[in-house]
Amino acid sequence: QVQLVESGGGLVQSGASLRLSCTASGLAFGNYVIGWFRQAPGTERDFVASISRSGKNVYYSEDVKGRFTISRDNAKMTAFLQMDNLKPEDTAVYYCAAARNGNIGYPGTYNYWGQGTQVTVSS
């Protein structure tokens, strides 16, 4: 059974940092692209960042570029999202997901999803 478990969310003030983790089990982690998405109430699930199987290639949405950093440790089957200089508009549930291939910015591409972790940024 494949599982992706996010952790590290919380309530922080504007300008603070958080580091999200996504730990996988039940799949060949190194064979999957990992993506982070977020969803605020009443909105669609939006692409945040993705990282290639080797970790060599990373992509970010324009909203988070320069503030967020995605990384992965294949030996530990874990991906990370370092979020710096957080803003109130970053408030959302953050999801990690794993994809074998396809359009990395499109939620439908991803084969497996975590349950999400809440990030709330107060002003």
Side-chain angles (χ1 to χ4, degrees):
Q1 180 183 359
V2 175
Q3 280 194 312
L4 299 176
V5 180
E6 301 97 336
S7 61
L11 170 63
V12 297
Q13 291 189 330
S14 182
S17 297
L18 282 174
R19 189 191 196 205
L20 305 183
S21 297
C22 170
T23 301
S25 61
L27 80 169
F29 186 74
N31 289 347
Y32 287 80
V33 171
I34 300 298
W36 286 94
F37 289 75
R38 65 186 181 185
Q39 188 168 20
T43 69
E44 295 183 348
R45 192 166 295 189
D46 292 330
F47 172 78
V48 174
S50 70
I51 187 166
S52 63
R53 295 168 182 81
S54 67
K56 182 178 180 180
N57 298 309
V58 296
Y59 303 92
Y60 300 96
S61 71
E62 288 300 318
D63 290 345
V64 307
K65 194 176 293 183
R67 299 188 298 123
F68 290 11
T69 304
I70 189 171
S71 61
R72 67 190 295 164
D73 183 336
N74 286 346
K76 296 183 178 179
M77 298 182 65
T78 301
F80 304 96
L81 186 67
Q82 176 68 38
M83 306 187 296
D84 297 320
N85 190 22
L86 282 161
K87 304 175 181 181
E89 50 264 44
D90 294 318
T91 295
V93 177
Y94 283 71
Y95 299 89
C96 71
R100 284 187 285 269
N101 49 47
N103 181 344
I104 58 171
Y106 176 54
T109 293
Y110 290 79
N111 305 101
Y112 304 105
W113 290 84
Q115 82 290 348
T117 186
Q118 176 71 46
V119 172
T120 303
V121 185
S122 64
S123 58

